[in-house]
């Protein structure tokens, strides 16, 4: 999968997002380490390593993520804050942030299921608190 002739950044990214959604991961982190990208999912609050992407493929996948999130693709030395990525085949809203690290760049994908979005009334606050928040 990681030789230049056989990998496609969009395909790898779609597979990663689909795998995270199937696992019900809240967060997916891609971090460069030892010449490859380590991919981990946050499952029930625990970061769980899932796979590794070779350096050539990782560089292109990182670029693809940044492009879809409308981040600067050339910027690796400064953090870039959460932006919504375009939803192609994902059933979730995805927010992307990047952070420089000692070993390279780290990209965080936060997956938000549309069903998990709540309105103020869904939070079961007392009526007085809801009224105060609505007038805030």
């Amino acid at each position: 999968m990681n030789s230049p002739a056989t990998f496609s950044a969009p395909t790898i990214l779609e597979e990663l997002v689909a795998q995270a959604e199937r696992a019900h991961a809240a967060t997916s982190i891609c971090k460069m380490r030892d010449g490859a990208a380590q991919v981990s999912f946050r499952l029930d609050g625990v970061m769980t390593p899932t796979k590794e992407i070779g350096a050539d493929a990782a560089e292109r996948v990182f670029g693809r993520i940044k492009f879809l999130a409308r981040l600067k693709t050339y910027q690796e030395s400064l953090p870039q804050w959460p932006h919504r990525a375009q939803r192609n085949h994902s059933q979730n809203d995805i927010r992307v942030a990047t952070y420089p690290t000692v070993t390279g760049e780290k990209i965080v994908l936060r997956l938000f299921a549309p069903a998990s979005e709540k309105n103020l009334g869904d939070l079961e606050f007392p009526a007085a608190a809801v009224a105060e928040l609505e007038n805030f």
Side-chain angles (χ1 to χ4, degrees):
M1 176 202 266
N2 291 342
S3 73
T6 60
F7 72 77
S8 159
T11 302
I12 294 171
L13 181 56
E14 287 175 17
E15 289 172 2
L16 284 176
V17 171
Q19 183 180 2
E21 289 176 340
R22 283 192 304 271
H24 302 290
T27 305
S28 176
I29 296 179
C30 304
K31 183 168 42 173
M32 291 302 293
R33 179 177 289 154
D34 299 326
Q38 176 65 51
V39 179
S40 301
F41 294 159
R42 183 180 310 276
L43 303 170
D44 296 324
V46 178
M47 292 308 299
T48 307
T50 57
K51 69 184 319 182
E52 205 171 83
I53 302 172
D56 291 339
E59 183 178 340
R60 293 182 182 172
V61 169
F62 280 30
R64 179 72 177 166
I65 292 169
K66 289 178 176 183
F67 173 78
L68 292 174
R70 297 179 191 94
L71 298 172
K72 295 176 183 172
T73 58
Y74 58 85
Q75 182 65 263
E76 295 179 1
S77 60
L78 295 171
Q80 296 187 65
W81 301 113
H83 289 276
R84 267 192 170 163
Q86 296 173 1
R87 288 173 56 179
N88 289 339
H89 302 287
S90 175
Q91 59 191 6
N92 293 306
D93 285 331
I94 301 173
R95 298 202 183 121
V96 179
T98 68
Y99 306 94
T101 67
V102 173
T103 59
E105 190 171 26
K106 175 169 78 171
I107 294 185
V108 178
L109 304 172
R110 291 188 175 86
L111 287 73
F112 295 93
S116 68
E117 295 177 7
K118 297 188 184 285
N119 295 322
L120 188 56
D122 298 334
L123 299 177
E124 299 180 9
F125 286 136
V130 171
E132 186 71 28
L133 289 169
E134 286 175 340
N135 293 324
F136 181 65

